[in-house]
Amino acid sequence: MTAFDDLMVFQRDTQALAEIAGRLGWDQETVMPEAAGPQRAEEMAAIEKVLHARRIDPKVSDWLEAIDAKELTAADAAQIREIKRAQARALKVPVELSTALARVTSAAQGKWAQARAADDFPAFKPVLEEIVDLRREEASALADGGDLYDALLDDYEPGASGGDIQAMFDAMRPRLVNLRDAALGATYQPENVIGTYPAKKQMKLSAKLAHKFGYDLSHGRIDKAVHPFSSGSGLDVRITTRTSAADPFNCFYSTIHEVGHACYEQNVDRAYLLTPIGRGASMGVHESQSRIYENQLGRSRAFTGWLYGQMESRFGYAPASDADAFYGTVNRLEKGYIRTEADEVQYNLHIMLRFDLERRLIAGQLDVADLEEAWNTRFAADFGYEVDRASNGVLQDVHWAVGLFGYFPTYSLGNVYAGCLHDALRADMPELDDKLGQGKATYATAWLGKNVQQHGALFEPGEVIERATGRPVSVEPLLAYLEAKFAEIYRL
């Protein structure tokens, strides 16, 4: 065997252990006994300690040094790129710090859920302060004197910077705010959804939606959780959703969103299974899949026409006056607090709020003790009404509880990437709406599988989108799509 072969054998065991850690996380959010949290925290810390040791094992450096780059294929070179990236990061972060983060963030999930249920941010504040301190320490180790937030952002979107994200948001905000204000102030307003929808029937329709979008349930499953998520890669990719009797769209579109993530992981070339490139290229590219599944496809006029018929037959009554009205209902702009329930126009405004706050937290410009007040003040300024309780504000998302600082802006990057992909998809498939109108979403998702998903992390994030679309990444396709869509719905 060559040095490259030896390295990849070692790396497959490392990836397998990382998958086990992910499965423990899935278990914790779905079926783990509530009182098991302290033990699970120790289990997660133990696995992280093993993973950290493997990433900095001297044998990895020896193998890397012995490999002749001229003999590598493009895929081999990408594997080496990712291994070096993980090694460089692990060498900078002391094992004691990485295990402490794993332990604290595992335990924090249960504390967050309890605080959220009680609308009690002060109860969660001490553990969040500990997480922020640890992540600042980690960022300092990674940044080499550079920007702390950029060092964390690089974990989720390699090569991106806070400055890049800020410039993107500056370009998007004025047009999004203008569109929101015009729609909310329009004379015509879409209907509200009518009726109530039993949870069991929602879950059955969610399973059908997952299948329609290409999710392979022989390699996955759908469960319920407080916060919907996707977990796993390759042959075992699981999703969760949630139900509300008065709001079935929360369930249906959470499912479709997470199916976008899951299909990405399921559709990576199996030759890359349990290797560093056998996963999504970045969280921004990942979000491009979940967002295009959910929005440009799932909320399209054509697909909602099919969904209208499904709801009418399964629940026994129509959720709106007709299929055309239902399209407006699904896409209705409303005042609301919850990011995951936000319409396409306002969604990125929710992300901008979180981006600014977490950037200030990591920079030491905002203390956790002042976070709830800062959130409420900023929300009122951006949305024009007051936050009524912590679960609708600072406690609504799990991300900070599990230490994911730098993750939030990848949602908006995903929206931008999805806008670019949607343009290219429609150019290649003029008959797309006919297929979506028949519920045949896999006609579109197969295109994404071929042009994005099968490559895994073979290419860097921006290159993935440019190769799929033939154009540089730009905010314009997304903004043009939103302005055209909602001008029609609201008769502007």
Side-chain angles (χ1 to χ4, degrees):
M1 295 177 68
T2 66
F4 179 79
D5 294 331
D6 289 337
L7 175 60
M8 292 308 297
V9 168
F10 182 87
Q11 192 64 36
R12 281 186 176 86
D13 285 344
T14 303
Q15 296 298 128
L17 288 167
E19 289 295 316
I20 292 170
R23 205 83 66 247
L24 285 174
W26 169 87
D27 176 87
Q28 182 169 352
E29 291 295 299
T30 54
V31 297
M32 186 188 81
E34 182 179 351
Q39 179 175 315
R40 180 54 48 86
E42 293 304 317
E43 293 165 356
M44 295 295 278
I47 290 183
E48 176 56 34
K49 188 173 183 179
V50 172
L51 286 169
H52 190 279
R54 293 182 69 86
R55 290 173 183 135
I56 64 172
D57 192 309
K59 293 194 298 289
V60 173
S61 295
D62 293 342
W63 284 319
L64 288 170
E65 187 175 345
I67 291 170
D68 185 351
K70 297 189 295 294
E71 296 180 358
L72 298 178
T73 66
D76 294 342
Q79 303 281 18
I80 297 301
R81 179 195 72 215
E82 294 301 309
I83 291 169
K84 286 183 175 179
R85 182 174 281 160
Q87 182 195 50
R89 184 188 185 286
L91 285 169
K92 292 177 181 178
V93 179
V95 64
E96 296 81 9
L97 176 57
S98 67
T99 54
L101 271 165
R103 180 181 295 108
V104 171
T105 53
S106 177
Q109 292 182 57
K111 295 176 182 178
W112 164 79
Q114 291 171 358
R116 183 179 184 273
D119 285 307
D120 187 359
F121 179 73
F124 182 60
K125 182 177 73 71
V127 72
L128 183 58
E129 287 175 331
E130 188 174 0
I131 292 169
V132 170
D133 286 345
L134 289 170
R135 286 294 266 166
R136 284 175 178 162
E137 184 180 349
E138 180 188 41
S140 296
L142 292 168
D144 289 329
D147 185 88
L148 300 186
Y149 187 77
D150 287 357
L152 299 181
L153 176 60
D154 195 65
D155 275 352
Y156 310 108
E157 196 68 18
S161 71
D164 295 335
I165 302 298
Q166 187 64 63
M168 179 182 74
F169 285 152
D170 289 345
M172 295 171 68
R173 182 188 290 275
R175 289 169 66 176
L176 291 174
V177 170
N178 288 341
L179 182 56
R180 177 194 66 184
D181 293 347
L184 290 176
T187 301
Y188 173 78
Q189 293 291 316
E191 300 174 9
N192 286 313
V193 65
I194 57 176
T196 57
Y197 302 85
K200 287 185 178 180
K201 290 185 177 182
Q202 287 188 43
M203 292 299 290
K204 286 183 178 180
L205 182 49
S206 281
K208 183 166 186 176
L209 289 169
H211 174 73
K212 284 291 182 180
F213 277 84
Y215 183 45
D216 181 358
L217 277 163
S218 69
H219 291 293
R221 55 182 290 132
I222 305 173
D223 294 277
K224 292 173 71 172
V226 175
H227 196 293
F229 68 96
S230 174
S231 175
S233 67
L235 305 181
D236 189 349
V237 187
R238 310 176 186 195
I239 69 168
T240 67
T241 189
R242 59 189 176 195
T243 58
S244 166
D247 181 13
F249 302 145
N250 195 328
C251 177
F252 300 152
Y253 287 99
S254 290
T255 299
I256 295 172
H257 179 100
E258 299 307 334
V259 162
H261 285 302
C263 284
Y264 192 175
E265 293 295 332
Q266 287 186 337
N267 292 333
V268 174
D269 190 327
R270 291 288 167 79
Y272 305 154
L273 185 67
L274 293 179
T275 74
I277 65 171
R279 54 178 173 73
S282 71
M283 287 315 305
V285 180
H286 241 298
E287 291 299 335
S288 77
Q289 303 307 284
S290 60
R291 296 298 285 175
I292 196 172
Y293 275 48
E294 176 189 354
N295 294 322
Q296 284 92 339
L297 301 178
R299 296 183 193 270
S300 66
R301 181 183 292 278
F303 190 79
T304 59
W306 176 85
L307 180 59
Y308 177 83
Q310 290 291 308
M311 291 186 68
E312 188 174 26
S313 64
R314 288 170 178 265
F315 294 101
Y317 47 82
S321 57
D322 56 37
D324 186 65
F326 181 67
Y327 171 59
T329 300
V330 169
N331 289 284
R332 179 184 175 90
L333 270 71
E334 294 185 272
K335 291 184 176 181
Y337 305 104
I338 306 300
R339 172 188 62 85
T340 57
E341 300 170 9
D343 55 80
E344 290 180 81
V345 176
Q346 299 187 85
Y347 185 92
N348 289 304
L349 300 176
H350 287 271
I351 298 302
M352 292 174 193
L353 179 154
R354 289 155 175 77
F355 167 73
D356 288 343
L357 292 179
E358 70 175 15
R359 204 175 175 197
R360 290 172 58 199
L361 278 170
I362 296 303
Q365 298 167 354
L366 175 64
D367 292 331
V368 171
D370 301 321
L371 179 59
E372 184 173 26
E373 181 181 354
W375 179 295
N376 294 345
T377 300
R378 173 64 183 270
F379 188 90
D382 283 5
F383 293 90
Y385 45 96
E386 301 290 333
V387 174
D388 60 346
R389 58 184 186 271
S391 58
N392 280 337
V394 70
L395 287 177
Q396 69 177 267
D397 296 302
V398 72
H399 299 61
W400 292 338
V402 294
L404 299 182
F405 290 90
Y407 188 115
F408 274 122
T410 66
Y411 287 113
S412 288
L413 274 172
N415 283 332
V416 170
Y417 292 161
C420 298
L421 291 168
H422 182 235
D423 261 11
L425 171 60
R426 286 206 170 268
D428 282 358
M429 295 184 168
E431 68 278 29
L432 176 60
D433 283 334
D434 290 338
K435 300 294 185 181
L436 290 174
Q438 301 171 51
K440 296 179 179 178
T442 52
Y443 187 73
T445 59
W447 185 94
L448 294 165
K450 175 183 177 182
N451 289 284
V452 176
Q453 296 167 6
Q454 69 164 327
H455 302 304
L458 178 62
F459 307 112
E460 295 280 18
E463 186 181 0
V464 172
I465 306 304
E466 291 186 16
R467 289 174 67 93
T469 64
R471 297 180 181 179
V473 174
S474 167
V475 301
E476 185 58 34
L478 174 65
L479 294 173
Y481 153 79
L482 291 173
E483 288 166 345
K485 176 177 181 175
F486 287 92
E488 178 196 4
I489 291 173
Y490 281 87
R491 304 174 185 177
L492 300 177

